[in-house]
Amino acid sequence: MTADTWWRTATVYQIYPRSFADSDGDGVGDLRGVISRLDHLVALGVGALWLSPVYPSPQDDNGYDISDYYDIDPMFGTLADFDELLREAHARGIRVVMDLVVNHTSDEHPWFVESRDPGSPKRDWYWWRPLPNNWGSRFSGPAWEFDDRSGEYYLHIFSRKQPDLNWENADLRQEIHRMMRWWLDRGVDGFRMDVINFISKPVGLPDAHLTDGTRYGDAEALYTNGPRLHDFLQEMHREVFAGREAVLLTVGETPGTSVDQARLLTDPSRRELDMIFQFDHVEIDQGRDKWDIRPLDLVALKRTFERWQHGLSDAGWNSLYWNNHDQPRIVSRWGDDTTYREESAKLLATVLHLHRGTPYVFQGEEIGMTNTRFRSIDDFADIQSRNYYTDAVTRRGEPADVVLDALRARSRDNGRTPMQWDDTENAGFSTGTPWLATNPNFVHINAAAQLHDPASVFAHYRALIALRRTEPLVTDGVFTLLLPDDPAIYAFTRTHAERGLLVLANFSSDAVAVPDGAMAGWPGSPLVIGNYPDSPPTLHRSVRLRPWESVVVRRGTG
Ligand code: NOJ
């Protein structure tokens, strides 16, 4: 990383292709749809797009189960379409980051098909055992499946159609490096690496501690950040990225990772990754798992961000996100998606984007898309949600309405409803029947209605993204949390010498007074960005924030 590395001032936009734009009317988004909407990204001002998987796949987990690393699924288009997307994006100054899913393949990948033969040289490319250990799958049930052909069990941390690759095998690693170079040579600008900190497992695959009420152990601590993770990543860097570091972006998805581990993973001198997606902040409102929902504890959220901001201030780099294809919509989760939808969507954006790191915007977040309505389990498509329902209701006998309520709040399908482009049929996403029902609120929440409205959520995101490009304080200013114990106000500064930015945000539907002490030296500072149409042009001495109001003010010039 050099001081002028492009992704320090850029914002990345995540596209979930099956829900973004459908060019051929089959109800599933595709690459030509993405190409047709690139100007939306230009209008927003992002520097890169991250494309969730478009490789051939049986789609058991919507493409995170890959059966061929060297092609495009016909559902999404062709390699020629992909090359055109690269050209069109690059022509607009937008880089393209591919999703790299190499902790596991599909069970229909030829490697796994071969591996099922106990005599095959590929046998060792997956984890086969005569008897399973007690690990549970992240998609409910055991993490092992018995295979008749082999007479043994194979490990799958996700669905049974996603067998885990054995990275201990050097031939496998070489094959993955080769594939990555092939995409880079084609012109892609980096990788978002799916659960990359799961690739090193303790080879003995020891049993995990049993979790309450299940037969399966919680093995996350055993398979995350395993013994050879850093070796594998450094080898990947040597084999794939060396010499191309300055132009690429590598971001690892790393559940269960501490700040100390993140420093190791992202310190540029160690040559592993540029940044990671940590999970501490998105797990703050859950108990034993994501379905065990707790109210947001703002104080804990602030403390978490503070820890990450400080922990990676002198080494490594943060990624900043509220949303992606695995999370419910942030405005429904921690904002107010009824009375104060626009205000709270803008406030959440302000708070996130004013931290140090690279922000990620998930499609639809920039227009304040919300969670959707699910009437029954039949309305869900996501394998994790459906498996959880079956397991909880059928096996554990939990009340269906309680389980459904958890799914309504937390299901990944909330983030996967079609992008809301305009107020025409299916929100302008498709002329066919969308694979997942469009959120009915598209008639008033859509991109067309916001693009030219200077007071829109979209305009607010555009302004934040532009501020990051032009204001070095956003990139590098020192982060200081103010009012750490205030239950409603999120306040912090970003400073460098005499210059600084102050962020004040009211995470509540009541008006609140900001304690004067928090603002010494700031009254009179001019407004940089506010989320009410009549935000005061300068900061008053006694500030009262209206419901979900946020302001950013500036001190010093130059
Ligand atoms: C993380 C991805 O973001 C998620 O969508 C997927 O289900 C799992 N990894 C398995 O690939």
Side-chain angles (χ1 to χ4, degrees), residues 61 64 104 139 158 162 192 194 253 325-326 412 416:
D61 185 19
Y64 284 89
H104 45 268
F139 287 171
F158 294 91
Q162 293 169 296
R192 173 271 184 188
D194 193 68
E253 186 207 24
H325 63 291
D326 294 331
R412 310 193 294 182
R416 300 175 179 188

Side-chain angles (χ1 to χ4, degrees), residues 213-229:
T214 76
R215 285 172 287 153
Y216 311 117
D218 178 5
E220 180 170 300
L222 294 173
Y223 59 67
T224 52
N225 302 302
R228 295 185 68 194
L229 176 64

Side-chain angles (χ1 to χ4, degrees), residues 113-366:
V113 174
E114 265 186 62
S115 175
R116 291 177 63 197
D117 171 356
S120 146
K122 298 238 166 39
R123 184 69 171 175
D124 185 44
W125 286 30
Y126 295 84
W127 297 92
W128 291 100
R129 290 289 184 273
L131 286 174
N133 66 14
N134 71 351
W135 293 6
S137 151
R138 295 173 86 86
F139 287 171
S140 304
W144 294 90
E145 182 77 7
F146 184 72
D147 178 49
D148 283 336
R149 163 107 202 272
S150 304
E152 289 194 328
Y153 295 82
Y154 63 86
L155 175 68
H156 60 88
I157 289 176
F158 294 91
S159 95
R160 58 182 186 76
K161 288 186 67 60
Q162 293 169 296
D164 281 59
L165 285 164
N166 175 14
W167 276 66
E168 297 296 319
N169 185 297
D171 294 339
L172 163 78
R173 298 202 302 276
Q174 269 182 28
E175 199 47 52
I176 287 173
H177 301 151
R178 187 169 79 86
M179 176 270 287
M180 294 174 74
R181 287 192 298 264
W182 188 84
W183 285 102
L184 292 181
D185 292 344
R186 215 170 179 99
V188 311
D189 303 289
F191 296 102
R192 173 271 184 188
M193 303 183 189
D194 193 68
V195 288
I196 199 66
N197 65 325
F198 292 9
I199 59 176
S200 167
K201 278 110 182 156
V203 283
L205 302 180
D207 275 339
H209 289 299
L210 279 183
T211 39
D212 297 345
T214 76
R215 285 172 287 153
Y216 311 117
D218 178 5
E220 180 170 300
L222 294 173
Y223 59 67
T224 52
N225 302 302
R228 295 185 68 194
L229 176 64
H230 298 294
D231 293 348
F232 292 158
L233 290 176
Q234 286 170 10
E235 178 189 59
M236 179 192 284
H237 197 286
R238 282 194 305 277
E239 297 296 320
V240 182
F241 304 132
R244 319 197 208 209
E245 298 92 331
V247 290
L248 296 183
L249 166 66
T250 57
V251 50
E253 186 207 24
T254 58
T257 293
S258 68
V259 176
D260 287 342
Q261 288 162 329
R263 283 174 67 93
L264 297 176
L265 290 164
T266 66
D267 179 343
S269 67
R270 293 172 51 87
R271 295 177 194 278
E272 296 187 21
L273 299 170
D274 291 329
M275 62 189 94
I276 60 156
F277 291 124
Q278 56 87 15
F279 281 65
D280 285 354
H281 67 305
V282 289
E283 289 175 351
I284 224 147
D285 56 355
Q286 71 181 43
R288 60 177 189 280
D289 61 26
K290 72 183 253 183
W291 312 110
D292 179 16
I293 302 172
R294 308 283 158 88
L296 171 64
D297 176 347
L298 187 72
V299 171
L301 182 73
K302 292 189 288 188
R303 289 292 194 195
T304 298
F305 269 107
E306 182 186 38
R307 214 156 28 79
W308 282 88
Q309 291 285 291
H310 288 168
L312 298 186
S313 61
D314 60 337
W317 188 252
N318 273 292
S319 62
L320 306 169
Y321 72 98
W322 290 134
N323 272 120
N324 57 43
H325 63 291
D326 294 331
Q327 300 292 335
R329 293 281 178 184
I330 195 65
V331 69
S332 301
R333 183 179 190 176
W334 291 341
D336 174 340
D337 66 3
T338 53
T339 319
Y340 297 106
R341 185 187 63 85
E342 294 195 21
E343 292 83 354
S344 61
K346 292 176 188 175
L347 170 144
L348 286 157
T350 305
V351 167
L352 189 77
H353 284 239
L354 265 293
H355 282 86
R356 186 165 187 269
T358 299
Y360 288 73
V361 176
F362 177 61
Q363 64 187 46
E365 181 185 338
E366 75 281 17

Side-chain angles (χ1 to χ4, degrees), residues 31-67:
L31 291 177
R32 304 211 68 80
V34 175
I35 296 169
S36 74
R37 294 292 185 174
L38 282 174
D39 288 335
H40 179 78
L41 277 62
V42 174
L44 195 56
V46 298
L49 67 87
W50 146 30
L51 198 60
S52 277
V54 287
Y55 313 89
S57 160
Q59 302 290 327
D60 188 54
D61 185 19
N62 291 359
Y64 284 89
D65 48 319
I66 296 171
S67 53

Side-chain angles (χ1 to χ4, degrees), residues 400-475:
D401 54 337
V402 173
V403 176
L404 266 179
D405 276 345
L407 287 177
R408 286 187 181 110
R410 281 301 152 80
S411 170
R412 310 193 294 182
D413 279 340
N414 281 301
R416 300 175 179 188
T417 58
M419 175 67 188
Q420 295 168 202
W421 292 107
D422 55 39
D423 63 2
T424 65
E425 202 186 358
N426 301 323
F429 161 71
S430 173
T431 54
T433 306
W435 70 275
L436 185 66
T438 309
N439 189 323
N441 66 17
F442 75 88
V443 284
H444 65 276
I445 304 175
N446 62 69
Q450 298 191 23
L451 194 59
H452 302 294
D453 173 3
S456 64
V457 176
F458 183 86
H460 195 86
Y461 268 86
R462 182 170 52 205
L464 291 167
I465 291 167
L467 183 66
R468 171 169 297 274
R469 283 200 310 268
T470 52
E471 174 52 84
L473 285 170
V474 179
T475 325

